Amino acid sequence: MIKVPLSWLRDYVNLTLSPEELAAGLTLRGLEVAEIIRVGQDWDKVVVGQVEKIEKHPNADRLVVLQVTDGNEVYQVVTGAFNLKEGDKIPLALPGAKLIDGHKLVDEHAAGKRTEPLLESGELPYFTVKAGKMRGVDSNAVAVAALELGISEDFDGIVVLNSEFPVGETLAAVLGDVILDIELSPNLGRALSMVGVAREVAAMTGEKVYPPEIRVVEDGSPINEKISVKIDDPDLCARYSMMVIEGVKIGPSPDWMQNRLSAVGIRPINNIVDITNYVMLEIGQPLHAFDYDELQGKQIIVRRARPGEKMQTIDHKEHELTPEILLIADANKPIAMAGVMGGAESEVKDTTVNVALEGANFDPANIRKTGRGLFSTVSEAAKRFERSVDIELTVAGVRRGMQLMQEIAGGKVSRGIVDVYPQIRSPHIIELPLSEIPRILGLTIPRDEVVKMLEALEFEIAELRPDGSFQFRNDNKQYTIMVSETISSQDILMVRVPTYRNDVTIKADLIEEIARQYGYDKIPESRLQGELPPQVPNLAYEFEDKLREILTASGLFEIITYPLVSMDSLKNLHAALGESVAPPTNPGGPHLHSLHWTDPAHLLTLANPLSSEHEVMRPTMLGSTLETVAENRRFVDRVPVFEIGRVYHKIEGELLPDERRTLSLAMAGRRVPLSRFNPKVTENDRMDFFDLKGVVEHLLARLNLAQTEVQFEPVTAGYHPALHPGRAVDIFAKAPGKNGESKRLGYIGEVHPRVAEAFQLDPMERIVVGELDLELLLPLVERERYQAVTRMPVVTQDMAIVVGDEVAAGRVQKLIQETGGKLLKQVTLFDIYRGKPVPEGKKSLAFRLAFHPQDKNLTEEEVSKLRQRIEGRLVREVGAETRA
Amino acid sequence: MTIQNQVAEMQQRALGELGTASDLVALDEWRLKYLGKKGELTGFLRGMGQLPPEERPIVGQVVNAARKALEEADATRLIGLQAAALNQRLASDQVDVTLPGRPVETGRVHIITRTMREIVAAFTAMGFQIAEGPEVELDYYNFEQLNMPPGHPARSMHDTFYFSESVVLRTHTSPNQIRVMEKQKPPIRVIVPGKCYRSEATDATHDFMFYQVEGLAVDQNITLADLRGTLTDFARRLFGPERKVRFRNDYFPYVEPGVDLSIDCMLCDGKGCRVCKYSGWLEILGAGMVHPQVLRNVDIDPEKYSGFAFGMGPSRIALLKYGIDDIRQFFRNDLRFLEQFA
Ligand SMILES: [Zn+2]
């Protein structure tokens, strides 16, 4: 981010566009203007006044009475500020003017309701100026402090305006400004200065850039007698320039400079420090001023910190240094953390007389690491170094600083400059075949136009000499290129990149410059042509969509939860572990196995979580699902949900985990909605195990696992500590054939009351959950195959049998199905009865059998034969008695 | 009285009685009485044996004419009575139609899923293939191969969760550009949806998890103009044909030239409001021409091939499309929120 006051920008380029046009144009070019701030647009009825007379207040020692003219009329003004003298020009607020209520801000700050800076402490209070009396004396207008105008935090004195401002002029006309707040991507370091932005404006409007003229009177001692500089680590510091000024007078910097710094959000400190900031904002070179007399041995050494070395920075924090940190040191000790922050000892103080001014170029990556490693906020200097600064700017920066110091703080500037630049960098030269423009941009631009565009951006284009070689201005070197039958020198531009464009190193970068200059808004629109890649389905993605279709049709809502969960949430799943049977030692494979859910050996844990709420990659989705159920049960009486997501398991010896697509399911609450059709929503209408089992059965049937036999087996004791031991099943997929492999796809079951409690759910409510491993499920899915639909009448018969209570209904059903064979299309268990006349310890099961004839009508004999066979088998295998 | 007269008298009487048969049961009785096997009309035929032979045909004709008349009258009456019976049934069946219907409860697909499907469908229609990649990702894919070596300033725009120095939670779906190009050579057109993570404090417009949809097209002669056309088509398909589309320069280390695509704010029609931060524009995706170094990293010759890549956030798109004011709603999964989106 950089704030650019147009009043400042105008020093370096003519502004020919309105602020809106300027903002829109810069935004298209990549300098995104986030906001156009208009300073002074609400200074209605505030004018330039001149103080004619200052008298004591007759009734109050802490007040004075001013006579202030606006050119037409003289206003009597009572004020508590004592900084004025007769003849001063001040902002005068006439009745009706609206000002920020400074007293209220200060009071609220004192009461702890506001923090500094006050102007950014939320909604601001305003007051309207009215004529009235203060301690018995008429006061007809207000002499205004900076805080009341919103231009700075100063509320101690009245603003004293430039004496050249015409009396009676509106304040907005003389002090108003438009500030562009520009957001800069990391490649735009070059635009972190007024001159940098001016260059972009100039390239956009065809105007010229006028960088500041630098003139220094070098009237002091030769620089070599004052200081020597050595760079020990040129990989981290490519260039270091320094000058010394002696006999400066420390004080506040002039108003114009303070105003400019405040306008861009930098707090004025003293003239020397302000000048370093000002030059950085003006041309982009960060500077650092040292108190010359604190430099031991009159020596600067740029080196890496030594292990164990310590230093105190200007924020008065002590830092333990490591050799990754680049230091500026004198003969004895560190005096600054290079490019990041100065040291406390060598900083410029009120007593400083002599100043050594550093302009250096540091390695961006190292600055980034040091700055972000040690400090919570990135300093303005570091912000620029991180994005890389023009290597040719160190000297200009130091000289510009010296010039301003001499003008503002006085003193004698050393003769000459120390400029250590071990490895001189030559500007980048790029060969740009013009054919790249249509190839990448999809448009053709004539050579002359391209040259003009690049030159507007201060790129130099080499002259093509008659012998086919290229030569740049001020450079004797001749460049030749490989020419071929398809490409001649005419088709190529040889481009020299300005040193401040560190971001341009290859052809593609130049192409972007051409596109920016051509105008992104003028790039044509075309559609992709050419051959399509082979079109193949993404089975997993389509499978997920199929699941969503089936599950939403089954009444479930899709949820999406954070895969980052808390350790507590995982531990909550084991809330009942102590009470269940001891866990088996080998639950086999980690997938969906609850016993591993809290085992750090299987978990991926973040090294830098934002909070413990979200620090582990979930090994199961059950926790997140239960949290969603609990959260929703507070507001709604019915929660049927599913999520398709991933669970994460460490793989031994691999960097990346196994990310397994998983389906999580949960149902809780009432089954049917309250309505006149169902006036009593009773305990029996609550969803339970069988609701979810029904959904899963339906889902698996719809997926068509034709070759696979799906088996629901009661859970093995201890395997599922999160589930109700008597109301849970494991789901197995058994491959065809007698010895077909059986894989565990997942489970469904009601949540153990202890676990429900741990998730703030009602332990008395049935909450049924399940998970299916989609990685295992997907390969089992087969294409549906047509089966003939009979046109003959279907024969249905009911069959009731009595079996022992211990006989699983599923087993009976399976026996019926198997025995009935192909003709028996459907077996529906429609009643279970216990009690008279069924003997104690037994139950009656009633089935409806639907026989579908294949090619001819079924005879009664055929049906009763089948039925006898079924009954016979049931008698033999489960001791059934048949009933009429 | 002649038989003819008797028949005529009977016919008249029968027709009179028919008028009083007020329901289907009475009609059945009437039919039995006159037209039944033992009915009066049959009685005439039976009595015909006692008539002189020459009269028989005449009487036969008379009886048959009477039968026809009675049968026709019967049929008409039957229709009338059936209609009356039906009307009565309908009348007695009447309900208070203002009562609510029987409740139907079905689920919903998550709004983010739905938005993602819309985005993905727009691109699959253009021949893009769907790919997916891991969420726990190597720094190598997430940054290094995308022109962001350690210390690169663009890394500061990616607040990264990491497990170790080399393993991170992906901060964008762009690593899949590399993963796809390692396996596949041009022509390439893929779209990669998925979850991404940034270690940012959450507020109404930021969440530490979000979805992204990445797109990549690589071939000979793919241009910035193709990028503009393709993504403008997409933006109008998703947000409506009347939308203005702004195409501006932006920076991502793995593309050059870089692009930001915005649409004019549909909430204020481009006039400026809180949602568009008073700019009138809403950024919906970042894009650009694949950086030559990225192509080189996967052994695709950048002198021969070019391509474009883009990335966008379904959360942000859903936020804008439906005027949702808090991004955290998405993964809070309040059913009262989720059920608002069909
Ligand atoms: Zn708007």
Side-chain angles (χ1 to χ4, degrees):
Chain A
M1 281 286 219
I2 182 172
K3 287 199 165 99
V4 180
L6 297 189
S7 62
W8 191 353
L9 188 63
R10 238 177 237 123
D11 284 3
Y12 317 105
V13 65
N14 272 333
L15 299 182
T16 54
L17 300 175
S18 71
E20 290 74 16
E21 290 167 334
L22 201 55
L26 288 172
T27 300
L28 284 187
R29 299 173 70 88
L31 285 74
E32 188 187 0
V33 177
E35 199 184 351
I36 303 175
I37 304 163
R38 285 162 203 284
V39 179
Q41 70 174 356
D42 43 6
W43 295 341
D44 203 22
K45 296 205 165 117
V46 184
V47 300
V48 178
Q50 187 160 31
V51 181
E52 296 192 327
K53 209 184 208 179
I54 305 179
E55 291 166 317
K56 285 185 175 171
H57 191 288
N59 309 326
D61 290 347
R62 302 176 63 179
L63 295 175
V64 288
V65 182
L66 312 175
Q67 304 297 328
V68 188
T69 177
D70 70 350
N72 285 324
E73 216 176 304
V74 177
Y75 293 82
Q76 178 163 297
V77 177
V78 178
T79 176
F82 283 81
N83 66 318
L84 299 178
K85 56 183 195 302
E86 289 175 2
D88 277 349
K89 289 185 181 169
I90 60 167
L92 181 69
L94 305 177
K98 256 179 98 179
L99 298 175
I100 295 169
D101 192 337
H103 289 287
K104 197 164 186 181
L105 281 181
V106 170
D107 289 349
E108 288 179 356
H109 177 244
K113 287 184 208 150
R114 284 180 188 271
T115 51
E116 281 177 322
L118 296 175
L119 289 174
E120 288 162 33
S121 61
E123 188 102 356
L124 296 174
Y126 283 85
F127 73 100
T128 305
V129 175
K130 283 188 287 241
K133 277 185 198 298
M134 272 179 90
R135 305 287 301 265
V137 174
D138 284 346
S139 185
N140 300 321
V142 171
V144 186
L147 180 66
E148 292 170 308
L149 293 170
I151 54 180
S152 84
E153 293 283 298
D154 189 0
F155 192 50
D156 292 338
I158 305 303
V159 176
V160 178
L161 298 170
N162 188 324
S163 61
E164 284 164 22
F165 289 169
V167 173
E169 184 63 273
T170 61
L171 188 70
V174 296
L175 266 198
D177 203 350
V178 176
I179 299 175
L180 301 184
D181 197 356
I182 307 182
E183 246 173 278
L184 296 175
S185 46
N187 62 321
L188 283 174
R190 68 188 149 92
L192 276 168
S193 70
M194 299 303 145
V195 170
V197 174
R199 285 199 189 105
E200 277 296 324
V201 173
M204 175 166 80
T205 59
E207 293 289 322
K208 211 168 162 292
V209 188
Y210 303 95
E213 252 180 73
I214 303 173
R215 274 163 317 197
V216 194
V217 185
E218 298 180 14
D219 52 359
S221 352
I223 187 70
N224 294 339
E225 293 172 12
K226 304 307 297 181
I227 195 94
S228 70
V229 173
K230 190 158 106 347
I231 301 178
D232 281 356
D233 293 291
D235 56 326
L236 300 185
C237 174
R239 191 168 188 177
Y240 196 99
S241 308
M242 183 167 260
M243 288 175 91
V244 173
I245 183 167
E246 291 172 284
V248 295
K249 194 165 172 294
I250 306 290
S253 55
D255 286 348
W256 63 267
M257 184 176 280
Q258 292 202 27
N259 289 342
R260 282 187 166 180
L261 293 178
S262 302
V264 302
I266 289 186
R267 198 162 55 94
I269 295 172
N270 61 41
N271 48 11
I272 299 299
V273 173
D274 289 358
I275 287 167
T276 61
N277 284 328
Y278 184 83
V279 173
M280 174 178 71
L281 288 162
E282 183 182 51
I283 65 173
Q285 172 65 50
L287 299 176
H288 188 72
F290 295 100
D291 184 330
Y292 175 75
D293 297 307
E294 298 285 346
L295 305 182
Q296 306 291 311
K298 305 308 167 204
Q299 216 185 357
I300 294 283
I301 302 158
V302 186
R303 61 163 171 85
R304 285 182 159 85
R306 300 182 182 120
E309 214 166 7
K310 282 185 187 142
M311 85 171 288
Q312 199 184 40
T313 43
I314 52 172
D315 55 358
H316 299 285
K317 289 209 176 87
E318 184 86 14
H319 297 277
E320 185 108 17
L321 306 174
T322 60
E324 287 167 354
I325 297 171
L326 187 70
L327 294 180
I328 311 300
D330 62 14
N332 298 337
K333 58 180 188 314
I335 54 172
M337 241 177 246
V340 175
M341 200 175 271
E345 265 178 69
S346 65
E347 78 176 308
V348 172
K349 314 169 258 294
D350 292 350
T351 53
T352 301
V353 193
N354 304 317
V355 172
L357 186 62
E358 160 199 294
N361 197 290
F362 300 114
D363 173 61
N366 182 258
I367 293 286
R368 180 173 184 269
K369 206 165 174 187
T370 307
R372 289 173 195 264
L374 295 175
F375 302 96
S376 54
T377 54
V378 181
S379 73
E380 288 291 322
K383 198 160 105 186
R384 285 162 176 83
F385 283 126
E386 271 186 18
R387 294 160 191 240
S388 126
V389 174
D390 181 4
I391 190 117
E392 295 303 328
L393 219 46
T394 59
V395 172
V398 171
R399 288 174 56 79
R400 176 67 172 155
M402 282 290 130
Q403 173 190 358
L404 291 172
M405 285 179 193
Q406 197 168 40
E407 284 170 12
I408 289 166
K412 285 184 184 314
V413 176
S414 56
R415 267 181 286 143
I417 182 165
V418 182
D419 182 23
V420 185
Y421 187 10
Q423 185 80 50
I424 292 180
R425 286 189 203 159
S426 43
H428 274 292
I429 290 174
I430 303 172
E431 286 172 27
L432 177 68
L434 290 165
S435 58
E436 282 293 278
I437 298 171
R439 185 173 85 94
I440 302 296
L441 298 184
L443 58 101
T444 310
I445 310 173
R447 182 190 168 101
D448 292 356
E449 289 287 311
V450 177
V451 169
K452 252 189 240 162
M453 287 176 184
L454 290 174
E455 284 179 344
L457 289 158
E458 300 187 345
F459 289 88
E460 285 178 61
I461 313 298
E463 191 197 338
L464 176 58
R465 292 157 53 91
D467 64 357
S469 67
F470 292 91
Q471 191 170 10
F472 290 102
R473 260 163 290 155
N474 315 321
D475 183 358
N476 292 328
K477 201 174 159 199
Q478 284 164 25
Y479 297 85
T480 53
I481 54 157
M482 299 277 287
V483 288
S484 66
E485 279 168 27
T486 50
I487 195 155
S488 76
S489 305
Q490 301 285 348
D491 304 324
I492 289 191
L493 294 182
M494 181 80 70
V495 182
R496 188 157 70 184
V497 179
T499 54
Y500 61 82
R501 293 302 305 265
N502 303 298
D503 58 320
V504 176
T505 54
I506 58 170
K507 285 186 294 192
D509 298 328
L510 286 178
I511 294 294
E512 179 174 80
E513 291 307 298
I514 293 165
R516 291 197 319 127
Q517 199 61 14
Y518 182 83
Y520 265 55
D521 52 338
K522 299 190 191 72
I523 300 284
E525 288 177 19
S526 55
R527 289 185 177 77
L528 282 173
Q529 291 166 7
E531 191 193 338
L532 286 183
Q535 301 284 299
V536 285
N538 184 322
L539 292 177
Y541 188 85
E542 287 168 16
F543 179 58
E544 284 190 5
D545 268 0
K546 169 121 192 169
L547 296 178
R548 287 189 184 100
E549 190 187 312
I550 298 170
L551 291 169
T552 53
S554 306
L556 277 65
F557 282 77
E558 186 186 17
I559 57 170
I560 299 176
T561 62
Y562 301 110
L564 277 169
V565 299
S566 69
M567 205 56 208
D568 281 346
S569 161
L570 296 177
K571 283 185 184 145
N572 283 342
L573 295 172
H574 284 178
L577 193 56
E579 295 173 31
S580 65
V581 187
T585 47
N586 178 17
H591 310 313
L592 303 174
H593 262 294
S594 51
L595 295 167
H596 288 313
W597 290 344
T598 54
D599 181 354
H602 294 278
L603 297 176
L604 267 100
T605 308
L606 280 179
N608 63 335
L610 281 173
S611 75
S612 59
E613 281 291 286
H614 303 286
E615 64 172 342
V616 188
M617 296 306 285
R618 61 186 177 200
T620 167
M621 289 164 73
L622 181 54
S624 334
T625 302
L626 282 175
E627 280 160 12
T628 303
V629 173
E631 190 59 28
N632 271 292
R633 277 301 275 122
R634 293 167 50 208
F635 303 108
V636 296
D637 57 355
R638 177 173 182 272
V639 187
V641 292
F642 73 96
E643 177 170 10
I644 297 169
R646 297 180 187 180
V647 297
Y648 310 79
H649 295 276
K650 259 190 201 171
I651 307 175
E652 196 62 36
E654 300 270 341
L655 281 171
L656 297 185
D658 184 11
E659 298 186 14
R660 300 189 73 82
R661 258 172 240 268
T662 302
L663 169 66
S664 178
L665 300 147
M667 297 176 99
R670 64 165 175 76
R671 177 176 298 131
V672 288
L674 174 70
S675 72
R676 65 198 172 87
F677 306 100
N678 187 55
K680 284 181 205 153
V681 176
T682 64
E683 192 55 35
N684 296 335
D685 297 324
R686 306 258 123 189
M687 292 190 281
D688 65 13
F689 174 79
F690 294 104
D691 288 84
L692 187 56
K693 191 177 181 207
V695 169
V696 171
E697 284 168 343
H698 171 72
L699 174 75
L700 296 175
R702 287 274 299 270
L703 290 177
N704 190 37
L705 316 178
Q707 305 276 321
T708 309
E709 190 191 331
V710 176
Q711 298 165 330
F712 293 85
E713 303 281 347
V715 294
T716 313
Y719 271 40
H720 283 282
L723 302 181
H724 185 314
R727 287 173 162 257
V729 287
D730 272 322
I731 305 168
F732 291 93
K734 194 183 156 299
K738 239 189 184 154
N739 301 318
E741 195 195 356
S742 197
K743 278 186 198 146
R744 186 169 166 275
L745 293 179
Y747 65 88
I748 54 175
E750 287 179 15
V751 172
H752 194 290
R754 285 262 182 275
V755 175
E757 229 170 0
F759 281 91
Q760 329 263 293
L761 282 155
D762 178 0
M764 298 307 286
E765 176 165 87
R766 300 194 186 281
I767 298 136
V768 51
V769 294
E771 278 185 288
L772 289 175
D773 185 333
L774 300 182
E775 305 287 341
L776 294 178
L777 186 55
L778 173 60
L780 305 178
V781 174
E782 292 170 49
R783 174 170 303 152
E784 295 90 340
R785 283 193 184 279
Y786 163 75
Q787 287 177 324
V789 180
T790 181
R791 307 277 298 163
M792 326 261 174
V794 171
V795 180
T796 58
Q797 290 204 343
D798 290 353
M799 182 170 89
I801 59 154
V802 173
V803 290
D805 246 345
E806 73 290 349
V807 176
R811 173 136 190 256
V812 177
Q813 171 137 6
K814 201 174 151 193
L815 285 171
I816 297 174
Q817 191 79 65
E818 278 177 15
T819 320
K822 266 203 285 192
L823 291 176
L824 181 55
K825 262 275 170 345
Q826 217 177 359
V827 181
T828 311
L829 173 61
F830 67 90
D831 193 29
I832 303 169
Y833 177 76
R834 289 184 185 81
K836 282 193 174 148
V838 178
E840 188 97 341
K842 301 213 170 207
K843 62 189 170 192
S844 158
L845 303 174
F847 293 92
R848 177 155 300 169
L849 315 181
F851 298 94
H852 287 219
Q854 305 255 296
D855 41 17
K856 56 175 180 48
N857 276 336
L858 274 176
T859 61
E860 257 179 54
E861 275 156 82
E862 283 171 310
V863 172
S864 69
K865 232 189 222 165
L866 267 175
R867 199 187 154 113
Q868 277 166 23
R869 208 183 299 155
I870 292 168
E871 285 171 349
R873 187 140 181 227
L874 292 178
V875 170
R876 280 198 307 281
E877 301 207 9
V878 292
E881 297 162 37
T882 55
R883 292 163 34 127
Chain B
M1 213 151 75
T2 61
I3 289 188
Q4 285 93 324
N5 285 346
Q6 289 173 23
V7 171
E9 181 272 334
M10 186 273 306
Q11 181 176 342
Q12 204 156 15
R13 179 161 39 84
L15 288 174
E17 274 179 39
L18 184 62
T20 64
S22 59
D23 58 21
L24 292 170
V25 178
L27 184 63
D28 281 346
E29 282 169 11
W30 176 89
R31 192 178 299 119
L32 224 57
K33 181 171 172 196
Y34 294 104
L35 296 168
K37 278 182 190 162
K38 293 174 183 165
E40 290 190 26
L41 213 58
T42 321
F44 284 115
L45 290 178
R46 236 180 253 130
M48 223 157 43
Q50 289 151 33
L51 291 179
E54 66 279 13
E55 281 185 32
R56 286 181 200 165
I58 301 163
V59 173
Q61 271 175 14
V62 171
V63 171
N64 277 337
R67 177 179 294 276
K68 205 178 164 214
L70 289 186
E71 278 175 353
E72 273 168 18
D74 176 26
T76 310
R77 186 67 184 159
L78 180 66
I79 289 168
L81 284 178
Q82 276 174 338
L86 184 62
N87 282 338
Q88 206 204 333
R89 202 180 89 211
L90 292 177
S92 67
D93 242 6
Q94 196 181 341
V95 294
D96 176 357
V97 293
T98 64
L99 284 171
R102 215 172 262 274
V104 172
E105 290 188 300
T106 61
R108 303 280 194 287
V109 169
H110 197 284
I111 182 60
I112 291 292
T113 305
R114 198 177 100 182
T115 308
M116 257 201 330
R117 281 170 163 180
E118 286 173 22
I119 296 169
V120 169
F123 287 101
T124 50
M126 296 187 240
F128 284 74
Q129 310 267 287
I130 302 162
E132 287 174 285
E135 293 165 28
V136 180
E137 183 57 284
L138 296 174
D139 184 275
Y140 175 81
Y141 286 110
N142 197 74
F143 293 118
E144 280 172 46
Q145 289 292 81
L146 292 168
N147 261 352
M148 287 182 277
H152 192 282
R155 285 202 181 202
S156 62
M157 305 195 319
H158 293 244
D159 294 313
T160 310
F161 285 119
Y162 54 90
F163 298 96
S164 66
E165 210 177 327
S166 56
V167 182
V168 303
L169 265 176
R170 69 176 173 201
T171 57
H172 50 175
T173 41
S174 305
N176 294 295
Q177 291 183 26
I178 305 295
R179 287 185 173 274
V180 166
M181 289 191 287
E182 277 182 347
K183 289 196 210 95
Q184 208 181 320
K185 295 303 155 200
I188 294 170
R189 289 188 198 183
V190 288
I191 191 104
V192 191
K195 289 188 176 95
C196 304
Y197 305 79
R198 301 263 172 110
S199 75
E200 291 181 330
T202 55
D203 60 30
T205 54
H206 297 89
D207 203 342
F208 68 84
M209 179 183 93
F210 54 96
Y211 276 81
Q212 229 177 39
V213 178
E214 186 80 11
L216 175 73
V218 181
D219 199 355
Q220 293 185 20
N221 304 316
I222 289 186
T223 68
L224 188 65
D226 295 336
L227 186 166
R228 186 174 188 186
T230 305
L231 296 182
T232 300
D233 280 356
F234 162 76
R236 297 218 167 107
R237 170 167 173 165
L238 216 68
F239 292 98
E242 71 285 4
R243 292 269 71 88
K244 287 192 204 113
V245 177
R246 184 181 71 179
F247 195 67
R248 71 172 193 90
N249 175 252
D250 202 351
Y251 170 76
F252 307 96
Y254 38 98
V255 292
E256 190 74 30
V259 168
D260 164 282
L261 195 99
S262 308
I263 52 169
D264 61 330
C265 178
M266 58 273 242
L267 299 164
C268 63
D269 269 327
K271 288 186 199 80
C273 67
R274 193 184 51 79
V275 174
C276 59
K277 293 187 192 143
Y278 304 96
S279 70
W281 295 103
L282 298 168
E283 292 177 12
I284 55 163
L285 58 88
M289 300 302 292
V290 182
H291 197 285
Q293 187 56 48
V294 170
L295 291 176
R296 229 170 271 130
N297 288 347
V298 290
D299 289 329
I300 293 177
D301 181 3
E303 302 294 330
K304 188 172 171 204
Y305 293 101
S306 55
F308 64 73
F310 57 87
M312 70 189 91
S315 308
R316 183 168 160 74
I317 286 174
L319 223 57
L320 298 175
K321 213 171 158 177
Y322 303 100
I324 298 162
D325 60 0
D326 190 339
I327 204 164
R328 289 166 294 194
Q329 282 291 4
F330 289 129
F331 307 134
R332 205 174 271 158
N333 298 300
D334 189 319
L335 297 192
R336 296 165 303 172
F337 169 76
L338 295 178
E339 74 183 1
Q340 293 175 25
F341 308 98

